[in-house]
Amino acid sequence: MISLKTTREIALMRDAGRIAAQALALVGEMVKPGVATWELARVAHKHIVKCGATPTFLNYNGFPGSVCVSINHEVIHGIPSKKRVLQVGDIVSVDLGATYKGYVGDTAATFATGKISPAAQLLSDTTKASLYAAIEVALPGGKVGDISAAVQQTCEAQGFSLVRDYTGHGVGRMLHEDPIIPNVGRAGHGAKLRPGMVIAIEPMVNQGRAQTRVLHDKWTVVTRDNKLSAHFEHTIAITNNGPVILTLLED
């Protein structure tokens, strides 16, 4: 069942989203050669707690970190480690959440470690562009398929593929709520977008094939062909005035 949030609840989710956005920005500034992924998670965790929130991902379904850090061919759910050190040319997808006064803000972005290849830059730029193309069509009265189609069309136009095994989702008191927000679909199909809905749109885009697999740690999802993957995400509210991004640093 899709829950519709009140104005008060959306305001609280904006607070949670701002905290998550601040933590993500801090992590992004730290993405440099020689930095361990564990350190990225430590800084994000510290900021979220300092703001009076809790890291949503920590122990969620048993996940052992406060932040997901996924490098190069890793799609999502990478576990932070003191042994995993960033190298020049890596692209680093960071996914995190903050729970504040019972509500969740969920966001992600892909960062460059020093100078990256033109191909990696195009993948990252296209993934980000697909997120904003999807947000633009997240209008009351529209359909979830409008969002999915915008992501798919933007990325496939550049020759990239969309991960189908994992999707965006509703957000609220829980990290994952209804509806599911696929990254492939047909405009005009799916659940109706209604004012009060809050959803996380998160394109996960592969340089090669769409297929993925899970590593032996039972968390880290990688591309089956070991080619690069990028990931961007915002939590947004559907309002009578159009979509409102809740996971921004500034209003």
Side-chain angles (χ1 to χ4, degrees):
M1 180 179 294
I2 299 172
S3 76
L4 302 180
K5 277 66 176 181
T6 65
T7 301
R8 174 184 171 276
E9 288 177 309
I10 290 174
L12 287 171
M13 294 191 71
R14 173 68 182 112
D15 292 336
R18 184 181 291 108
I19 293 167
Q22 291 167 349
L24 186 64
L26 288 172
V27 169
E29 292 173 357
M30 294 178 61
V31 172
K32 297 176 182 177
V35 175
T37 58
W38 177 88
E39 184 66 13
L40 302 180
R42 185 191 69 82
V43 168
H45 181 110
K46 182 178 179 180
H47 177 79
I48 291 168
V49 171
K50 182 182 73 173
C51 293
T54 57
T56 309
F57 292 6
L58 184 60
N59 298 319
Y60 182 79
N61 291 335
F63 185 73
S66 299
V67 175
C68 299
V69 185
S70 307
I71 303 173
N72 294 332
H73 71 296
E74 297 171 354
V75 181
I76 49 173
H77 302 163
I79 301 172
S81 169
K82 291 182 179 180
K83 297 180 180 180
R84 193 75 188 277
V85 177
L86 302 182
Q87 307 293 324
V88 174
D90 286 341
I91 58 170
V92 186
S93 297
V94 179
D95 189 3
L96 59 83
T99 303
Y100 181 72
K101 296 186 178 180
Y103 291 89
V104 175
D106 186 12
T107 189
T110 297
F111 301 99
T113 309
K115 184 176 177 58
I116 62 176
S117 70
Q121 189 67 60
L122 179 61
L123 174 65
S124 180
D125 290 346
T126 302
T127 306
K128 185 175 182 179
S130 76
L131 171 60
Y132 283 95
I135 292 171
E136 286 184 4
V137 299
L139 302 170
K143 298 292 183 69
V144 165
D146 301 343
I147 294 170
S148 306
V151 171
Q152 184 176 5
Q153 291 167 10
T154 302
C155 296
E156 290 184 349
Q158 295 294 337
F160 299 129
S161 62
L162 285 303
V163 171
R164 297 168 185 250
D165 300 329
Y166 304 89
T167 68
H169 49 88
V171 189
R173 286 189 172 274
M174 298 175 63
L175 175 59
H176 294 110
E177 298 184 352
D178 290 333
I180 290 172
I181 312 293
N183 290 311
V184 295
R186 294 172 59 194
H189 289 71
K192 185 176 180 179
L193 301 175
R194 300 168 60 192
M197 288 176 63
V198 178
I199 58 176
I201 302 173
E202 50 177 322
M204 291 159 272
V205 184
N206 293 350
Q207 187 180 47
R209 293 183 294 157
Q211 289 76 18
T212 65
R213 62 186 179 91
V214 180
L215 297 184
H216 293 303
D217 63 16
K218 297 182 179 180
W219 280 105
T220 308
V221 177
V222 302
T223 58
R224 191 169 288 275
D225 59 9
N226 290 324
K227 292 189 177 181
L228 298 177
S229 186
H231 180 202
F232 281 85
E233 176 183 20
H234 272 310
T235 299
I236 72 163
I238 309 297
T239 78
N240 286 317
N241 295 319
V244 175
I245 302 176
L246 303 180
T247 42
L248 290 175
L249 289 173
E250 304 293 339
D251 290 334

